[in-house]
Amino acid sequence: MPVKCKADCGRNAVLKRPKTSDALCKDCFFAAFEAEVHYTIISNDLFKKGEKVAVAASGGKDSTVLAYILKLLNDRHDYGLDLVLLSIDEGITGYRDDSLETVKQNRDDYQIPLKILSYDELYGWTMDRIVEQIGRKNNCTFCGVFRRQALDRGAKLLQVDSIATGHNADDIAETVLMNILRGDTARLGRCTAIRTGSGEDTIARVKPLKYTYEKEIVMYAHYKKLVYFSTECVFAPNAYRGHARAFLKDLERVRPSVIMDIIHSGEQLKFKETVKKPERGTCGRCGFVSSQQPCKACILLEGLNRGLPKLGIGKKSKGDRMRAKQDQELALRERANLVKNDF
Amino acid sequence: MCSVGDDESVDDVMINEAGEDQFSEPIRSGACHKCGQNGELYKLVFREAECKSCFLNYVNHKFRATVGSSKAVPRDAEVLVVYDGSAESVVLLDMLKTAKSGSNFKKLHCHFKVIIVDDYELRNKALNALDYETYLQEMKDTMLSDSKTECYITNLRSDPHQMPYNIKDIDHYLARKLDDENMFSIMYSNIRTSTNRKEFIKIYLKKLLASMAQHLKCNYVFIPTININIAADFLSSIALGRGSSVGLDVGFVDDRLENGIRIMRPIKDLSVPEVNLYLRACNLKSCKQYNESSPGTADSIQGITESFIKNLQKNFTSTVSTIIRTGNKIAYNNFSNIHDKTDVVNQDENTISCEICCSLLSGESKTISAVEFSRFVSERGTKSSITDSDDKIKELSSFTQKRKENICHSCKNMLRDKDILPFIGNV
Ligand SMILES: [Zn+2]
Ligand SMILES: [Zn+2]
Ligand SMILES: [Zn+2]
Ligand SMILES: [Zn+2]
């Protein structure tokens, strides 16, 4: 006998919600899913009427569902938001070029304008070329640092009030675990925040899908027949993060509430006063948000341009030594050239 | 989505992958790098090979540093030491004796009694009577070999009001009435999920130890947990939503229990290799019948976490120490101040503790309301989407958190398992 929808609507259930284990029909699942995101936006005061919001769009399931649902809720509840899609082209052949086609499809389907910014135009380097230089060991570091700043640059260009990103509950729980495993209390302290960086010269980032389970995002996209790009990045992700992700999946299997429980735990953590908090400022070189001088993006870029790609990886003192050594070598070579030219 | 680089979370924190060091023999021979002595050398990861006495100096110092640093154990304190036959408990007991009598170290001024909590039945599914007898006999022999130390035994399933038995009267212990304990076993096995069983036993054991300490007029309980247990406990607590009290799970002192008894972890900074080398150096053995805590079973949050950490530690040698380092930076409330507070009128939300686990209740949480909202909205389905106004939604979020009883979020999760309810009176 078919199971009836838990919401008592009279229809048969077609799915079991991963988050609550309730059996629901398609329509009641849509309603519940959408109501939750709306609830998150309202109860956290994520947006104000008349604001311009950039949706960080990668073409993947999270950002596709985010763009779709923000458009839907904006119309339904009259948020009065001016939405725009912002995509970053990292220059990864076989991955980003294909996924950008998906974003263009989203632009047409949801009637939201799209802006694409490329690493090539911002930094003069594509990820393909960076990987050529540095190999596959630290490539995700480069990509992550550059993307973070690229979004800020794009947001400034578009003059938006905030950037909405597609981070879901699983992503946040995973980051809590990662930061514990890495002993990074500064990031542990702020990685659960639904809104970050809303200072004077920084553009706020918000996570409307903070309480949405990855499995439900996939389910929602599936039943809504949304078009998204599902290939993983061709450059293998960091192994350590992979462990944390697999661990979380194992935990979720025995207790689905674990994702929310981890986020809750992360929010409850308070740190001893002696633990130093990084100061957030802006980079003296490029002017974008950074907790160090110059910012990570500028150091990595300098490393690439100097042909010292390891410059920004590891300790600062090591980087300083590498720089000094190269400067010395360059000076020597120059002197050698001078000698040669004398003849 | 690709989360690399979010919030600048670049993986620039060096994570030590297991180098050759990790797999090299812990025992070798040669000259000690410290004192030059030739002979058997003990090699720990991140340390130079050293002779037996230099090694013992080092671990005993670690122990004394933990116990002494916080000044939490006053002179002439009465301490109850938990002994379970495990390698860790053998080491703890030996270190205590050394510290009390030793000449190398500043003498530790405290008096201690030993408690054995017999958990044989709950640990072993099928009770093998013969093995059980050997187990008890071995524990008894070990304890009676040292006539100066008083030792008691109780059962994990017993009523906390029940006095423990002196190990000399083990026959009385064996002849005790078992009706209540059998009841306990039945109820325990009825708890549906393995996660809840483990969670429940952890809380129950702590309260039982506190009662035993009271019976034996001790104010402090030393438990033999070492760094890997603490790392696993810490991560499990996070996964169970117990973030607000996790500082008490990793620190030296856990003072949240209502009767003021403090649970302490004097060998929290020792590692598995250190414990094993200590046994070798002092010619000690763990109890044969003590079976290593069943290798992290995959059916509970705690079991999965334990095996996750053990595996990760194998590949990344600094896993456990990094987790502990994170834990040590977490602030927690000092309960002693709260318990001493006599004016009940002044109790605000932050000083109310959970009736079950004794942790402080956390304030209102948007995440908890989101969880409640999910349940609510799943039941309403299509009725929830259009009609609710913003105000209504905000009202809902505060409504869902109105507390009916003083029970924390995690214990509420545990209580969803209805079979735990009969225990609540006990705890
Ligand atoms: Zn329905
Ligand atoms: Zn910069
Ligand atoms: Zn030596
Ligand atoms: Zn509790």
Side-chain angles (χ1 to χ4, degrees):
Chain A
M1 214 183 77
V3 180
K4 285 282 174 200
C5 173
K6 168 108 185 255
D8 238 358
C9 63
R11 290 180 289 260
N12 287 334
V14 296
L15 54 87
K16 194 171 147 191
R17 278 197 80 178
K19 195 172 180 179
T20 59
S21 302
D22 293 323
L24 294 180
C25 73
K26 212 157 71 174
D27 287 332
C28 288
F29 169 65
F30 290 157
F33 185 95
E34 289 155 12
E36 280 177 31
V37 179
H38 175 54
Y39 170 81
T40 305
I41 291 171
I42 297 303
S43 60
N44 291 282
D45 295 312
L46 287 194
F47 307 115
K48 287 190 185 67
K49 217 175 181 111
E51 277 185 342
K52 187 170 181 184
V53 178
V55 181
S58 66
K61 59 180 177 358
D62 302 301
S63 64
T64 298
V65 167
L66 178 64
Y68 175 86
I69 202 162
L70 280 184
K71 160 90 177 154
L72 178 109
L73 295 176
N74 192 27
D75 293 346
R76 181 185 290 166
H77 300 283
D78 194 22
Y79 293 163
L81 300 180
D82 181 8
L83 297 172
V84 47
L85 297 172
L86 173 58
S87 280
I88 306 302
D89 181 0
E90 297 96 338
I92 305 174
T93 313
Y95 170 67
R96 189 51 87 215
D97 45 353
D98 292 348
S99 60
L100 281 175
E101 289 310 310
T102 317
V103 180
K104 286 175 191 160
Q105 186 69 46
N106 293 160
R107 169 196 64 196
D108 299 341
D109 291 348
Y110 315 149
Q111 293 293 304
I112 309 176
L114 164 67
K115 171 75 189 168
I116 301 175
L117 274 177
S118 72
Y119 281 9
D120 201 9
E121 61 187 288
L122 290 177
Y123 307 110
W125 288 84
T126 64
M127 271 315 286
D128 283 344
R129 277 185 56 224
I130 292 175
V131 170
E132 238 169 66
Q133 268 275 318
I134 63 162
R136 293 208 170 188
K137 189 132 194 242
N138 291 302
N139 53 31
C140 289
T141 302
F142 281 86
C143 196
V145 170
F146 286 163
R147 181 171 43 239
R148 182 173 171 80
Q149 198 189 69
L151 281 175
D152 279 334
R153 287 174 184 250
K156 199 169 179 185
L157 213 71
L158 295 168
Q159 296 187 299
V160 299
D161 297 290
S162 63
I163 307 172
T165 60
H167 294 103
N168 57 45
D170 302 49
D171 292 329
I172 296 165
E174 181 188 304
T175 307
V176 170
L177 294 177
M178 265 307 279
N179 285 330
I180 290 174
L181 293 174
R182 290 192 310 206
D184 192 336
T185 45
R187 282 164 193 145
L188 186 53
R190 57 175 192 254
C191 70
T192 51
I194 195 163
R195 168 191 291 273
T196 51
S198 34
E200 269 167 37
D201 39 25
T202 61
I203 292 160
R205 290 178 182 230
V206 295
K207 305 171 186 136
L209 302 182
K210 176 181 177 185
Y211 297 128
T212 310
Y213 277 33
E214 185 169 275
K215 280 183 178 161
E216 300 209 344
I217 289 173
V218 174
M219 230 173 217
Y220 186 82
H222 170 77
Y223 284 112
K224 283 276 182 186
K225 298 194 172 62
L226 302 183
V227 180
Y228 68 87
F229 185 77
S230 55
T231 308
E232 286 276 317
C233 177
V234 291
F235 301 130
N238 173 286
Y240 210 70
R241 186 173 274 275
H243 290 302
R245 176 163 300 183
F247 173 46
L248 184 64
K249 292 270 177 280
D250 286 344
L251 293 176
E252 191 193 357
R253 220 179 51 250
V254 300
R255 179 177 272 194
S257 73
V258 77
I259 292 172
M260 295 297 264
D261 289 336
I262 291 173
I263 297 176
H264 177 58
S265 279
E267 288 169 338
Q268 298 296 317
L269 296 179
K270 289 184 191 74
F271 299 93
K272 291 178 182 162
E273 308 236 313
T274 47
V275 178
K276 67 167 199 260
K277 295 174 201 78
E279 277 175 40
R280 302 270 255 166
T282 49
C283 169
R285 259 187 229 182
C286 66
F288 284 93
V289 210
S290 170
S291 49
Q292 48 177 279
Q293 281 304 342
C295 77
K296 196 91 183 167
C298 284
I299 299 177
L300 291 177
L301 194 58
E302 184 192 343
L304 285 172
N305 292 333
R306 273 177 175 251
L308 292 174
K310 291 226 170 74
L311 200 60
I313 316 270
K315 289 213 172 78
K316 188 179 172 294
S317 53
K318 210 171 112 201
D320 289 343
R321 273 201 305 279
M322 285 166 78
R323 253 192 222 102
K325 189 163 167 257
Q326 194 189 41
D327 286 343
Q328 204 180 1
E329 279 167 9
L330 282 176
L332 275 174
R333 213 173 305 152
E334 213 146 281
R335 222 174 301 150
N337 280 339
L338 283 177
V339 176
K340 238 185 277 166
N341 290 344
D342 279 348
F343 287 96
Chain B
M1 69 188 290
C2 180
S3 303
V4 178
D6 298 330
D7 195 26
E8 304 165 77
S9 66
V10 184
D11 301 312
D12 55 357
V13 178
M14 288 295 141
I15 294 156
N16 287 302
E17 286 196 46
E20 274 171 43
D21 219 22
Q22 164 94 351
F23 306 108
S24 63
E25 269 304 301
I27 305 287
R28 44 182 82 164
S29 60
C32 170
H33 87 286
K34 236 185 206 154
C35 66
Q37 184 94 34
N38 260 308
E40 187 176 73
L41 294 184
Y42 295 63
K43 175 73 183 81
L44 291 163
V45 183
F46 304 129
R47 266 184 85 77
E48 303 262 8
E50 61 204 322
C51 72
K52 184 159 107 182
S53 67
C54 286
F55 165 77
L56 284 175
N57 247 327
Y58 159 71
V59 276
N60 277 310
H61 179 77
K62 247 186 169 181
F63 165 75
R64 293 304 304 273
T66 309
V67 178
S69 67
S70 55
K71 296 202 169 61
V73 190
R75 205 185 163 88
D76 291 326
E78 296 285 343
V79 179
L80 186 62
V81 184
V82 176
Y83 180 82
D84 57 13
S86 66
E88 296 84 0
S89 69
V90 172
V91 169
L92 171 58
L93 207 55
D94 192 73
M95 283 182 151
L96 255 178
K97 287 177 186 168
T98 310
K100 248 181 82 85
S101 62
S103 47
N104 292 354
F105 297 93
K106 230 173 66 194
K107 205 173 151 172
L108 182 67
H109 294 276
C110 72
H111 311 283
F112 66 90
K113 297 170 183 151
V114 174
I115 183 91
I116 296 169
V117 180
D118 175 6
D119 62 349
Y120 193 88
E121 169 152 353
L122 290 183
R123 232 172 347 101
N124 300 275
K125 277 210 181 78
L127 183 70
N128 180 330
L130 205 66
D131 284 352
Y132 181 54
E133 237 168 69
T134 331
Y135 160 75
L136 285 184
Q137 193 60 48
E138 213 183 326
M139 298 285 245
K140 184 184 163 189
D141 291 347
T142 316
M143 286 307 138
L144 291 182
S145 67
D146 169 21
S147 57
K148 278 178 287 183
T149 311
E150 271 177 58
C151 177
Y152 296 85
I153 184 165
T154 188
N155 196 286
L156 180 53
R157 303 171 301 161
S158 70
D159 184 327
H161 301 299
Q162 174 74 47
M163 277 287 288
Y165 294 81
N166 193 306
I167 194 84
K168 290 177 189 150
D169 307 326
I170 195 137
D171 295 339
H172 292 135
Y173 172 70
L174 288 170
R176 76 199 186 280
K177 280 214 310 219
L178 290 174
D179 301 356
D180 290 350
E181 291 184 26
N182 289 335
M183 229 15 223
F184 186 106
S185 295
I186 293 167
M187 289 194 289
Y188 176 72
S189 60
N190 277 342
I191 299 176
R192 267 165 305 205
T193 65
S194 173
T195 302
N196 281 341
R197 276 198 292 275
K198 292 199 162 130
E199 175 106 307
F200 167 75
I201 273 300
K202 187 180 163 195
I203 295 170
Y204 192 84
L205 173 63
K206 215 188 269 180
K207 296 203 170 188
L208 183 68
L209 285 175
S211 297
M212 294 306 115
Q214 241 173 352
H215 288 313
L216 297 169
K217 311 223 163 7
C218 295
N219 291 316
Y220 307 90
V221 180
F222 280 6
I223 55 171
T225 38
I226 59 168
N227 68 2
I228 194 156
N229 316 124
I230 289 172
D233 265 0
F234 172 28
L235 220 51
S236 297
S237 292
I238 293 286
L240 291 164
R242 297 188 176 278
S244 64
S245 60
V246 84
L248 289 171
D249 293 332
V250 291
F252 171 51
V253 185
D254 180 349
D255 61 355
R256 80 190 105 177
L257 293 168
E258 279 153 344
N259 61 1
I261 304 287
R262 293 167 195 211
I263 308 275
M264 295 177 159
R265 309 176 180 97
I267 52 170
K268 72 184 181 67
D269 297 315
L270 294 194
S271 65
V272 175
E274 282 165 355
V275 165
N276 291 335
L277 289 180
Y278 188 96
L279 289 183
R280 185 187 170 98
C282 297
N283 217 350
L284 297 166
K285 275 198 190 80
S286 59
C287 171
K288 274 197 254 14
Q289 291 296 323
Y290 181 85
N291 46 354
E292 283 276 309
S293 61
S294 47
T297 44
D299 62 349
S300 70
I301 296 286
Q302 300 90 332
I304 291 168
T305 306
E306 196 186 318
S307 43
F308 169 73
I309 288 180
K310 283 185 177 161
N311 287 330
L312 207 59
Q313 176 68 21
K314 270 186 213 141
N315 299 311
F316 302 91
T317 48
S318 55
T319 301
V320 169
S321 55
T322 311
I323 296 174
I324 300 275
R325 198 161 39 114
T326 313
N328 286 338
K329 289 184 199 157
I330 293 170
Y332 47 89
N333 288 291
N334 197 323
F335 273 77
S336 319
N337 298 341
I338 294 163
H339 292 320
D340 292 345
K341 221 182 250 175
T342 38
D343 56 331
V344 191
V345 193
N346 245 345
Q347 276 195 348
D348 62 354
E349 227 180 2
N350 291 329
T351 63
I352 300 174
S353 41
C354 170
E355 285 167 16
I356 305 211
C357 69
C358 301
S359 306
L360 285 186
L361 297 177
S362 47
E364 206 170 276
S365 148
K366 288 244 159 60
T367 300
I368 301 305
S369 352
V371 173
E372 312 264 354
F373 188 78
S374 281
R375 292 203 186 96
F376 168 78
V377 96
S378 268
E379 274 163 30
R380 291 189 39 176
T382 45
K383 286 173 278 209
S384 50
S385 61
I386 326 258
T387 44
D388 293 335
S389 69
D390 296 0
D391 290 341
K392 170 99 185 180
I393 280 178
K394 286 193 173 171
E395 188 192 304
L396 263 173
S397 71
S398 58
F399 150 80
T400 49
Q401 296 212 19
K402 291 258 160 59
R403 258 200 308 268
K404 286 172 219 80
E405 65 287 272
N406 291 330
I407 296 177
C408 74
H409 166 68
S410 308
C411 287
K412 269 188 201 158
N413 268 349
M414 187 168 76
L415 291 186
R416 275 178 224 292
D417 205 333
K418 295 285 185 298
D419 296 315
I420 283 183
L421 283 173
F423 286 122
I424 299 308
N426 269 345
V427 176

